[in-house]
Amino acid sequence: MAICCFPSPLKPMTPATPLTNLKPKRPDILRCNFSLPTITTTEPEPVFTSVRSFAPATVANLGPGFDFLGCAVDGLGDFVSLRVDPSVHPGELSISDISGPKKLSKNPLYNCAGIAAIATMKMLNIRSVGLSLSLEKGLPLGSGLGSSAASAAAAAVAVNELFGRKLEVKDLVLAGLESEAKVSGYHADNIAPAIMGGFVLIRSYDPLELMSLQFPVEKDLIFVLVSPDFEAPTKKMRAALPAEIGMPHHVWNCSQAGAFVASVLQGDLVGLGKALSSDKIVEPKRAPLIPGMEGVKKAALEAGAFGCTISGAGPTAVAVVDSEERGVEIGERMVETFWKEGKLKAVASVKRLDRVGARLVGSVPR
């Protein structure tokens, strides 16, 4: 199915603060509004006949940072292949193939990659060529690793690269948010790090302001990701959260989120892990819904992890350590505990921080 994407005129986007003008060692800030304007007044020509892009898995919330903290994880993610297709009507997008979960729709209006690709085409004012998209899912659905965001990020980057990289990072995040809003809610703590890489703080949603947090390159940060055979849909897990919270828990979580950000910037793994494990609002409501999760966290900490929590909405558990060898050992303990206490089979992976985010991995010139 092909979907027309040419938009009606919208108001212009608030300009972002150029990253090159920011003072050294301060967080990068990106600001934009909610609309999807046409960024390019002149429709760009494709510079490739086809491109292939990759977007990494992400860990959202990171303990006390519900809906405003996230980071990208290296080595796991989704691929998107995009090509100019004469058989597709000009200005339209068709999804030709999806490898992975069978239940994903090929209708671009109901597919994460399709929605983001269409939003990016709108921004670029694409009217003269039709595009065909192929999605390769490397992430399971409902895993807590930003599966929908990875598809959206890879698609937005693919469209942008195909037409000569005319859009800025903030534009791509907005395109990805179009997808996230329709799939799991308007939250940027997966899509922003999937596109930007590293750690990202969502400073504001109205207007959208994103801050890139730089973890020191000379420090090792290892994630232990343990995914049980259990699906935790984001919408269901969000429905379990309290509508109101008490002031003591609000103060506690704010202080721990602040400590987490400071620890990231300082490269303090002990402080980072302590803050990661400290959520008193979201995790206590979600952990009981994932069989064995509470025991898995305890096992990880007892085995030497600096911290452990639920990745995003779950069911994946994430722990942080400073070496891959220790990560493998802790992952084994966590897998054992998922089975012992939750009767769930689980798979562990040990990964590093992805500092790049979504990117072009292949292309065929015109």
Side-chain angles (χ1 to χ4, degrees):
M1 176 178 290
I3 301 295
C4 179
C5 69
F6 185 62
S8 59
L10 295 172
K11 62 182 180 181
M13 180 175 291
T14 303
T17 303
L19 301 187
T20 53
N21 292 340
L22 295 174
K23 296 180 181 179
K25 298 184 179 180
R26 294 189 64 186
D28 297 333
I29 303 176
L30 299 175
R31 297 183 177 89
C32 45
N33 63 22
F34 289 149
S35 63
L36 286 176
T38 300
I39 304 299
T40 56
T41 55
T42 302
E43 180 183 2
E45 292 280 337
V47 297
F48 301 106
T49 58
S50 67
V51 295
R52 179 174 165 84
S53 62
F54 170 81
T58 48
V59 175
N61 301 340
L62 294 167
F66 176 70
D67 273 8
F68 65 87
L69 285 174
C71 69
V73 178
D74 186 44
L76 299 171
D78 290 357
F79 290 90
V80 161
S81 297
L82 187 73
R83 62 187 176 89
V84 176
D85 189 344
S87 69
V88 177
H89 192 275
E92 295 183 1
L93 172 79
S94 174
I95 296 180
S96 59
D97 184 61
I98 300 175
S99 62
K102 301 296 183 182
K103 63 182 181 180
L104 290 179
S105 174
K106 286 187 178 180
N107 183 333
L109 294 180
Y110 299 98
N111 181 283
C112 301
I115 297 169
I118 290 170
T120 310
M121 292 171 72
K122 285 182 178 180
M123 291 180 176
L124 289 169
N125 197 27
I126 303 304
R127 310 176 64 180
S128 301
V129 297
L131 304 179
S132 181
L133 182 150
S134 176
L135 172 63
E136 300 171 45
K137 288 296 297 178
L139 296 173
L141 305 180
S143 61
L145 292 172
S147 178
S148 61
S151 297
V157 166
V159 174
N160 190 41
E161 293 288 344
L162 190 74
F163 291 96
R165 200 181 297 180
K166 303 296 183 182
L167 301 179
E168 299 179 19
V169 168
K170 69 181 189 307
D171 305 321
L172 300 179
V173 173
L174 270 181
L177 268 173
E178 278 286 293
S179 174
E180 290 288 83
K182 295 178 181 178
V183 174
S184 59
Y186 197 92
H187 58 95
D189 47 348
N190 287 115
I191 190 64
I195 289 174
M196 299 167 63
F199 287 93
V200 178
L201 165 68
I202 293 84
R203 181 177 181 177
S204 166
Y205 276 94
D206 188 11
L208 185 65
E209 295 186 22
L210 308 172
M211 303 179 69
S212 178
L213 308 176
Q214 304 300 321
F215 187 83
V217 294
E218 67 274 11
K219 296 289 186 73
D220 285 328
L221 171 60
I222 307 297
F223 297 97
V224 183
L225 303 167
V226 180
S227 301
D229 187 13
F230 183 83
E231 189 169 331
T234 300
K235 287 187 176 180
K236 177 181 177 181
M237 300 302 279
R238 292 179 82 87
L241 302 181
E244 297 180 353
I245 59 172
M247 184 60 74
H249 282 175
H250 165 69
V251 172
W252 171 264
N253 264 43
C254 286
S255 67
Q256 297 308 308
F260 185 92
V261 170
S263 297
V264 167
L265 297 176
Q266 295 168 1
D268 175 9
L269 283 182
V270 174
L272 186 156
K274 186 176 180 180
L276 182 81
S277 305
S278 66
D279 176 32
K280 288 187 177 182
I281 297 174
V282 177
E283 184 183 311
K285 297 295 183 181
R286 286 178 167 173
L289 303 179
I290 304 170
M293 178 60 75
E294 292 162 310
V296 168
K297 178 177 181 176
K298 182 179 179 182
L301 297 176
E302 289 179 348
F306 294 122
C308 181
T309 190
I310 302 171
S311 177
T316 295
V318 57
V320 291
V321 295
D322 59 358
S323 75
E324 293 186 5
E325 182 179 358
R326 178 179 289 185
V328 171
E329 296 172 356
I330 292 173
E332 291 174 352
R333 289 282 299 276
M334 294 169 72
V335 168
E336 292 171 0
T337 306
F338 257 128
W339 177 250
K340 181 179 179 181
E341 299 197 12
K343 301 305 178 188
L344 294 177
K345 294 181 180 180
V347 177
S349 57
V350 178
K351 302 295 179 182
R352 293 180 177 272
L353 180 70
D354 185 310
R355 298 175 183 271
V356 179
R359 61 264 199 186
L360 182 71
V361 296
S363 61
V364 177
R366 296 190 73 186

Short mmCIF file of all heavy atoms in Angstrom, two decimals, residues 228-280:
data_model
loop_
_atom_site.label_atom_id
_atom_site.label_comp_id
_atom_site.label_asym_id
_atom_site.label_seq_id
_atom_site.Cartn_x
_atom_site.Cartn_y
_atom_site.Cartn_z
N PRO A 228 13.40 -11.38 29.24
CA PRO A 228 12.65 -12.63 29.43
C PRO A 228 11.63 -12.84 28.32
O PRO A 228 11.28 -11.91 27.59
CB PRO A 228 11.95 -12.38 30.77
CG PRO A 228 11.71 -10.91 30.78
CD PRO A 228 12.92 -10.30 30.10
N ASP A 229 11.18 -14.06 28.20
CA ASP A 229 10.17 -14.40 27.20
C ASP A 229 8.80 -13.98 27.72
O ASP A 229 7.99 -14.78 28.19
CB ASP A 229 10.19 -15.91 26.94
CG ASP A 229 9.28 -16.32 25.79
OD1 ASP A 229 8.83 -15.41 25.05
OD2 ASP A 229 9.01 -17.53 25.65
N PHE A 230 8.56 -12.68 27.63
CA PHE A 230 7.36 -12.08 28.21
C PHE A 230 7.17 -10.73 27.55
O PHE A 230 8.11 -9.94 27.46
CB PHE A 230 7.55 -11.91 29.73
CG PHE A 230 6.36 -11.36 30.46
CD1 PHE A 230 5.32 -12.18 30.85
CD2 PHE A 230 6.29 -10.01 30.78
CE1 PHE A 230 4.23 -11.69 31.55
CE2 PHE A 230 5.21 -9.49 31.48
CZ PHE A 230 4.17 -10.33 31.87
N GLU A 231 5.97 -10.47 27.04
CA GLU A 231 5.74 -9.20 26.36
C GLU A 231 5.05 -8.21 27.29
O GLU A 231 4.07 -8.55 27.96
CB GLU A 231 4.88 -9.41 25.11
CG GLU A 231 4.79 -8.16 24.24
CD GLU A 231 4.18 -8.43 22.87
OE1 GLU A 231 4.31 -9.56 22.37
OE2 GLU A 231 3.58 -7.50 22.30
N ALA A 232 5.58 -7.00 27.34
CA ALA A 232 5.03 -5.93 28.19
C ALA A 232 4.73 -4.72 27.32
O ALA A 232 5.57 -3.82 27.19
CB ALA A 232 6.01 -5.57 29.30
N PRO A 233 3.54 -4.67 26.69
CA PRO A 233 3.21 -3.53 25.82
C PRO A 233 3.28 -2.21 26.57
O PRO A 233 2.82 -2.11 27.71
CB PRO A 233 1.77 -3.84 25.38
CG PRO A 233 1.63 -5.31 25.56
CD PRO A 233 2.47 -5.66 26.75
N THR A 234 3.87 -1.21 25.93
CA THR A 234 4.08 0.08 26.58
C THR A 234 2.77 0.68 27.09
O THR A 234 2.71 1.19 28.22
CB THR A 234 4.75 1.06 25.61
OG1 THR A 234 6.02 0.51 25.21
CG2 THR A 234 5.00 2.41 26.28
N LYS A 235 1.72 0.62 26.28
CA LYS A 235 0.46 1.22 26.70
C LYS A 235 -0.09 0.55 27.96
O LYS A 235 -0.62 1.20 28.86
CB LYS A 235 -0.57 1.16 25.57
CG LYS A 235 -0.27 2.14 24.45
CD LYS A 235 -1.40 2.18 23.42
CE LYS A 235 -1.13 3.24 22.35
NZ LYS A 235 -2.21 3.29 21.34
N LYS A 236 0.03 -0.77 28.04
CA LYS A 236 -0.44 -1.51 29.21
C LYS A 236 0.38 -1.14 30.44
O LYS A 236 -0.17 -0.93 31.53
CB LYS A 236 -0.35 -3.02 28.95
CG LYS A 236 -0.75 -3.87 30.15
CD LYS A 236 -0.61 -5.34 29.84
CE LYS A 236 -0.94 -6.19 31.07
NZ LYS A 236 -0.77 -7.64 30.79
N MET A 237 1.69 -1.04 30.28
CA MET A 237 2.55 -0.73 31.42
C MET A 237 2.38 0.72 31.87
O MET A 237 2.55 1.04 33.06
CB MET A 237 4.01 -1.01 31.06
CG MET A 237 4.28 -2.46 30.70
SD MET A 237 3.84 -3.63 32.00
CE MET A 237 5.27 -3.50 33.07
N ARG A 238 2.05 1.61 30.95
CA ARG A 238 1.80 3.00 31.34
C ARG A 238 0.48 3.12 32.10
O ARG A 238 0.33 3.96 32.98
CB ARG A 238 1.77 3.91 30.10
CG ARG A 238 3.12 4.06 29.42
CD ARG A 238 3.03 4.95 28.19
NE ARG A 238 3.07 6.36 28.53
CZ ARG A 238 4.17 7.07 28.67
NH1 ARG A 238 5.35 6.51 28.52
NH2 ARG A 238 4.11 8.35 28.97
N ALA A 239 -0.47 2.25 31.77
CA ALA A 239 -1.76 2.29 32.45
C ALA A 239 -1.65 1.87 33.91
O ALA A 239 -2.54 2.18 34.72
CB ALA A 239 -2.75 1.37 31.72
N ALA A 240 -0.57 1.20 34.27
CA ALA A 240 -0.39 0.74 35.65
C ALA A 240 0.14 1.83 36.57
O ALA A 240 0.21 1.64 37.79
CB ALA A 240 0.57 -0.45 35.67
N LEU A 241 0.51 2.97 36.00
CA LEU A 241 1.15 4.02 36.79
C LEU A 241 0.13 4.86 37.55
O LEU A 241 -1.01 5.04 37.10
CB LEU A 241 1.99 4.91 35.87
CG LEU A 241 3.08 4.18 35.07
CD1 LEU A 241 3.86 5.17 34.23
CD2 LEU A 241 3.99 3.40 36.00
N PRO A 242 0.52 5.40 38.70
CA PRO A 242 -0.40 6.21 39.49
C PRO A 242 -0.70 7.55 38.83
O PRO A 242 0.17 8.13 38.16
CB PRO A 242 0.36 6.41 40.81
CG PRO A 242 1.80 6.31 40.43
CD PRO A 242 1.85 5.26 39.34
N ALA A 243 -1.91 8.03 38.98
CA ALA A 243 -2.30 9.33 38.42
C ALA A 243 -1.71 10.47 39.24
O ALA A 243 -1.46 11.56 38.73
CB ALA A 243 -3.81 9.45 38.35
N GLU A 244 -1.48 10.23 40.52
CA GLU A 244 -0.92 11.24 41.41
C GLU A 244 0.14 10.60 42.29
O GLU A 244 0.09 9.40 42.57
CB GLU A 244 -2.02 11.85 42.30
CG GLU A 244 -3.10 12.59 41.53
CD GLU A 244 -4.17 13.18 42.45
OE1 GLU A 244 -4.13 12.89 43.67
OE2 GLU A 244 -5.04 13.91 41.95
N ILE A 245 1.09 11.42 42.73
CA ILE A 245 2.14 10.94 43.63
C ILE A 245 2.29 11.91 44.79
O ILE A 245 1.95 13.09 44.69
CB ILE A 245 3.50 10.79 42.91
CG1 ILE A 245 3.95 12.13 42.32
CG2 ILE A 245 3.42 9.73 41.83
CD1 ILE A 245 5.36 12.11 41.77
N GLY A 246 2.82 11.40 45.89
CA GLY A 246 3.03 12.25 47.07
C GLY A 246 4.28 13.10 46.95
O GLY A 246 5.20 12.76 46.20
N MET A 247 4.31 14.19 47.68
CA MET A 247 5.46 15.09 47.63
C MET A 247 6.77 14.42 48.04
O MET A 247 7.80 14.66 47.39
CB MET A 247 5.20 16.31 48.52
CG MET A 247 6.31 17.36 48.47
SD MET A 247 6.54 18.03 46.79
CE MET A 247 5.07 19.07 46.66
N PRO A 248 6.81 13.56 49.05
CA PRO A 248 8.08 12.90 49.40
C PRO A 248 8.68 12.10 48.25
O PRO A 248 9.89 12.16 48.01
CB PRO A 248 7.70 12.01 50.58
CG PRO A 248 6.52 12.69 51.19
CD PRO A 248 5.76 13.24 50.03
N HIS A 249 7.84 11.35 47.54
CA HIS A 249 8.35 10.57 46.41
C HIS A 249 8.76 11.48 45.25
O HIS A 249 9.74 11.19 44.54
CB HIS A 249 7.28 9.59 45.94
CG HIS A 249 7.17 8.37 46.80
ND1 HIS A 249 6.21 7.40 46.61
CD2 HIS A 249 7.90 7.98 47.88
CE1 HIS A 249 6.36 6.46 47.53
NE2 HIS A 249 7.38 6.79 48.31
N HIS A 250 8.05 12.58 45.07
CA HIS A 250 8.42 13.55 44.04
C HIS A 250 9.81 14.12 44.33
O HIS A 250 10.67 14.16 43.43
CB HIS A 250 7.39 14.68 43.99
CG HIS A 250 7.84 15.89 43.23
ND1 HIS A 250 8.01 15.90 41.87
CD2 HIS A 250 8.18 17.13 43.67
CE1 HIS A 250 8.43 17.10 41.50
NE2 HIS A 250 8.54 17.86 42.56
N VAL A 251 10.03 14.53 45.56
CA VAL A 251 11.33 15.11 45.94
C VAL A 251 12.43 14.07 45.78
O VAL A 251 13.52 14.36 45.25
CB VAL A 251 11.27 15.65 47.38
CG1 VAL A 251 12.66 16.08 47.84
CG2 VAL A 251 10.31 16.84 47.47
N TRP A 252 12.16 12.85 46.23
CA TRP A 252 13.16 11.79 46.15
C TRP A 252 13.56 11.52 44.69
O TRP A 252 14.74 11.48 44.36
CB TRP A 252 12.64 10.52 46.79
CG TRP A 252 13.51 9.32 46.57
CD1 TRP A 252 13.39 8.37 45.60
CD2 TRP A 252 14.70 8.98 47.30
NE1 TRP A 252 14.39 7.44 45.68
CE2 TRP A 252 15.22 7.79 46.72
CE3 TRP A 252 15.37 9.54 48.39
CZ2 TRP A 252 16.37 7.16 47.20
CZ3 TRP A 252 16.52 8.91 48.86
CH2 TRP A 252 17.00 7.74 48.28
N ASN A 253 12.57 11.32 43.83
CA ASN A 253 12.89 11.01 42.44
C ASN A 253 13.59 12.15 41.72
O ASN A 253 14.49 11.93 40.90
CB ASN A 253 11.62 10.62 41.67
CG ASN A 253 11.42 9.11 41.62
OD1 ASN A 253 11.62 8.42 42.62
ND2 ASN A 253 11.03 8.59 40.47
N CYS A 254 13.20 13.38 42.04
CA CYS A 254 13.89 14.53 41.44
C CYS A 254 15.36 14.57 41.85
O CYS A 254 16.24 14.81 41.01
CB CYS A 254 13.20 15.84 41.86
SG CYS A 254 11.63 16.15 41.05
N SER A 255 15.63 14.31 43.12
CA SER A 255 17.01 14.34 43.59
C SER A 255 17.82 13.21 42.97
O SER A 255 18.99 13.40 42.60
CB SER A 255 17.06 14.25 45.12
OG SER A 255 16.60 12.99 45.57
N GLN A 256 17.21 12.04 42.79
CA GLN A 256 17.92 10.91 42.20
C GLN A 256 18.16 11.13 40.70
O GLN A 256 19.20 10.75 40.16
CB GLN A 256 17.15 9.62 42.43
CG GLN A 256 16.99 9.25 43.89
CD GLN A 256 18.31 9.23 44.63
OE1 GLN A 256 19.27 8.59 44.20
NE2 GLN A 256 18.38 9.96 45.74
N ALA A 257 17.21 11.75 40.02
CA ALA A 257 17.40 12.07 38.60
C ALA A 257 18.54 13.07 38.43
O ALA A 257 19.35 12.96 37.51
CB ALA A 257 16.11 12.62 38.00
N GLY A 258 18.59 14.06 39.33
CA GLY A 258 19.69 15.02 39.29
C GLY A 258 21.03 14.34 39.53
O GLY A 258 22.03 14.63 38.86
N ALA A 259 21.04 13.40 40.49
CA ALA A 259 22.27 12.66 40.77
C ALA A 259 22.68 11.81 39.58
O ALA A 259 23.88 11.66 39.28
CB ALA A 259 22.06 11.78 42.00
N PHE A 260 21.70 11.25 38.88
CA PHE A 260 22.00 10.44 37.70
C PHE A 260 22.68 11.28 36.62
O PHE A 260 23.70 10.88 36.05
CB PHE A 260 20.72 9.81 37.15
CG PHE A 260 20.95 8.87 36.01
CD1 PHE A 260 21.14 7.52 36.23
CD2 PHE A 260 21.01 9.35 34.69
CE1 PHE A 260 21.39 6.65 35.17
CE2 PHE A 260 21.26 8.48 33.64
CZ PHE A 260 21.44 7.13 33.88
N VAL A 261 22.11 12.45 36.33
CA VAL A 261 22.68 13.32 35.30
C VAL A 261 24.11 13.73 35.68
O VAL A 261 25.03 13.70 34.86
CB VAL A 261 21.79 14.57 35.09
CG1 VAL A 261 22.50 15.59 34.21
CG2 VAL A 261 20.46 14.16 34.48
N ALA A 262 24.30 14.12 36.95
CA ALA A 262 25.64 14.51 37.40
C ALA A 262 26.62 13.35 37.25
O ALA A 262 27.77 13.54 36.83
CB ALA A 262 25.58 14.97 38.85
N SER A 263 26.17 12.15 37.56
CA SER A 263 27.04 10.97 37.47
C SER A 263 27.41 10.66 36.03
O SER A 263 28.54 10.25 35.74
CB SER A 263 26.34 9.76 38.11
OG SER A 263 26.12 9.98 39.49
N VAL A 264 26.47 10.85 35.10
CA VAL A 264 26.78 10.64 33.68
C VAL A 264 27.86 11.61 33.24
O VAL A 264 28.86 11.22 32.63
CB VAL A 264 25.51 10.83 32.82
CG1 VAL A 264 25.87 10.93 31.34
CG2 VAL A 264 24.53 9.68 33.04
N LEU A 265 27.69 12.88 33.55
CA LEU A 265 28.65 13.89 33.11
C LEU A 265 30.03 13.70 33.75
O LEU A 265 31.06 14.02 33.15
CB LEU A 265 28.11 15.29 33.43
CG LEU A 265 26.81 15.68 32.72
CD1 LEU A 265 26.32 17.04 33.20
CD2 LEU A 265 26.99 15.68 31.21
N GLN A 266 30.05 13.16 34.97
CA GLN A 266 31.31 12.94 35.68
C GLN A 266 31.93 11.58 35.38
O GLN A 266 33.08 11.32 35.74
CB GLN A 266 31.08 13.07 37.19
CG GLN A 266 30.68 14.45 37.64
CD GLN A 266 30.19 14.48 39.08
OE1 GLN A 266 30.17 13.46 39.77
NE2 GLN A 266 29.80 15.66 39.54
N GLY A 267 31.16 10.70 34.73
CA GLY A 267 31.65 9.35 34.49
C GLY A 267 31.71 8.52 35.75
O GLY A 267 32.52 7.60 35.87
N ASP A 268 30.85 8.83 36.70
CA ASP A 268 30.82 8.16 38.01
C ASP A 268 29.86 6.96 37.94
O ASP A 268 28.65 7.12 38.12
CB ASP A 268 30.38 9.16 39.07
CG ASP A 268 30.22 8.53 40.44
OD1 ASP A 268 30.59 7.35 40.63
OD2 ASP A 268 29.68 9.22 41.35
N LEU A 269 30.39 5.77 37.72
CA LEU A 269 29.55 4.59 37.57
C LEU A 269 28.87 4.19 38.86
O LEU A 269 27.74 3.68 38.85
CB LEU A 269 30.36 3.42 37.03
CG LEU A 269 30.68 3.44 35.54
CD1 LEU A 269 31.44 2.18 35.14
CD2 LEU A 269 29.41 3.54 34.73
N VAL A 270 29.53 4.39 39.97
CA VAL A 270 28.93 4.04 41.26
C VAL A 270 27.71 4.92 41.51
O VAL A 270 26.62 4.43 41.86
CB VAL A 270 29.94 4.18 42.41
CG1 VAL A 270 29.25 3.95 43.75
CG2 VAL A 270 31.09 3.19 42.23
N GLY A 271 27.87 6.22 41.32
CA GLY A 271 26.75 7.14 41.51
C GLY A 271 25.65 6.91 40.49
O GLY A 271 24.46 6.98 40.81
N LEU A 272 26.04 6.61 39.24
CA LEU A 272 25.07 6.34 38.19
C LEU A 272 24.22 5.12 38.55
O LEU A 272 22.99 5.13 38.44
CB LEU A 272 25.80 6.14 36.87
CG LEU A 272 24.99 5.98 35.58
CD1 LEU A 272 25.85 6.38 34.38
CD2 LEU A 272 24.49 4.56 35.39
N GLY A 273 24.90 4.06 38.98
CA GLY A 273 24.19 2.84 39.33
C GLY A 273 23.27 3.01 40.52
O GLY A 273 22.15 2.48 40.55
N LYS A 274 23.72 3.77 41.51
CA LYS A 274 22.89 4.02 42.69
C LYS A 274 21.62 4.76 42.33
O LYS A 274 20.53 4.42 42.79
CB LYS A 274 23.70 4.81 43.71
CG LYS A 274 23.01 5.02 45.05
CD LYS A 274 23.92 5.74 46.03
CE LYS A 274 23.22 5.95 47.38
NZ LYS A 274 24.10 6.66 48.34
N ALA A 275 21.76 5.78 41.47
CA ALA A 275 20.58 6.54 41.04
C ALA A 275 19.67 5.69 40.15
O ALA A 275 18.44 5.76 40.25
CB ALA A 275 21.02 7.80 40.30
N LEU A 276 20.27 4.88 39.29
CA LEU A 276 19.52 4.01 38.39
C LEU A 276 18.57 3.10 39.17
O LEU A 276 17.46 2.80 38.73
CB LEU A 276 20.49 3.16 37.57
CG LEU A 276 19.91 2.21 36.53
CD1 LEU A 276 19.55 2.96 35.27
CD2 LEU A 276 20.91 1.09 36.21
N SER A 277 19.01 2.67 40.35
CA SER A 277 18.26 1.70 41.16
C SER A 277 17.26 2.34 42.11
O SER A 277 16.62 1.63 42.89
CB SER A 277 19.24 0.85 41.98
OG SER A 277 20.20 0.23 41.18
N SER A 278 17.09 3.66 42.05
CA SER A 278 16.45 4.37 43.16
C SER A 278 15.00 4.80 42.92
O SER A 278 14.41 5.45 43.78
CB SER A 278 17.27 5.63 43.47
OG SER A 278 17.21 6.54 42.38
N ASP A 279 14.42 4.47 41.77
CA ASP A 279 13.06 4.94 41.46
C ASP A 279 12.04 4.46 42.49
O ASP A 279 11.95 3.27 42.79
CB ASP A 279 12.66 4.45 40.06
CG ASP A 279 11.24 4.81 39.69
OD1 ASP A 279 10.75 5.87 40.15
OD2 ASP A 279 10.62 4.04 38.95
N LYS A 280 11.25 5.38 43.02
CA LYS A 280 10.20 5.04 43.99
C LYS A 280 8.79 5.26 43.43
O LYS A 280 7.81 5.10 44.17
CB LYS A 280 10.37 5.87 45.26
CG LYS A 280 11.56 5.45 46.11
CD LYS A 280 11.56 6.21 47.44
CE LYS A 280 12.70 5.75 48.34
NZ LYS A 280 12.69 6.45 49.66
#
